Amino acid sequence: MSSAREFYDRLADDYDRIFPDWDASMRYQASVLDRLIAAPGSTILDCSCGIGTQAIGLAALGHRVTGTDISPLAVARARREAAARSLTLPAAAADMRALPFAASTFDVVLCADNSLAHLLTPDDVVTALGQMRRVLAPGGLLVLTRRDYDPDRADHPRFSPPQVSDRDGRRSITFQLWHWHDDGAHYDVEHFQLHGDADRWRTECRRTTSWALTRAELSELAARAGLDALTWHDPADSGYYQQVITARA
């Protein structure tokens, strides 16, 4: 099974094709996150920036965003995509368990797109959350977005619905198969993308492992990391496509 770094290195060139319209998704996600941040011109660390989906949108709204990600190839693309939109996005490859910044550097730390699920042990999650808290200014805001795993831990779904992107004369179809471990909490992901047209198709399959943390488990680990005022924002309330968790340093 591939590491998270290998998984996202392989996905970096095609990550935008998960979305029917990547630029529209960047604008939508940034608008919701901006309302939650509620502080114009904040210094933000996006510690799982990927190719820039949230970071670029927030930079376009006037925030001062720095990006890090486990994947060097994703980070390099994030910088290119920001520059193509005349935006500044300092970004570097870094593990969220060892963030390369001084304490109290940022107003906001963002960890989006279910990235925390790639940490597979309680100690790894506590270490990462502790690092996020460390680089936050006193009273700073942590924003996590993730899949709501409580129903999944009960039902153990085997696949995700397909997403279709039609762009530049090419169609891409993205879906996942999930293979649950015997513990009922971890699962191996087969992430499929089909690219092509009516006559010729190319298939990519990338594999990694995730941990389906429940709300109770994540709350306990956040408390161990020293985070306060943990608040859960469900999609019906926040308008975001995933569950959002906010906390204070």
Side-chain angles (χ1 to χ4, degrees), residues 198-217:
D199 298 319
R200 181 177 299 175
W201 289 86
R202 172 175 59 88
T203 302
E204 297 280 356
C205 181
R206 307 163 180 100
R207 297 176 174 86
T208 193
T209 302
S210 293
W211 183 13
L213 273 168
T214 65
R215 182 181 297 214
E217 289 167 340

Side-chain angles (χ1 to χ4, degrees), residues 11 14-26 28-29 51-54 77 113 163-167 170 172-174 191 193 240-242:
L11 185 56
D14 292 318
Y15 190 95
D16 58 305
R17 291 190 173 272
I18 292 172
F19 305 95
D21 185 330
W22 186 46
D23 279 275
S25 187
M26 283 194 283
Y28 143 68
Q29 293 190 48
I51 66 169
T53 303
Q54 294 81 29
R77 184 167 180 200
D113 277 344
Q163 303 287 330
V164 180
S165 169
D166 287 299
R167 195 163 68 256
R170 185 172 63 147
S172 296
I173 304 170
T174 302
H191 184 279
Q193 281 190 315
Y240 202 69
Y241 81 103
Q242 287 185 330

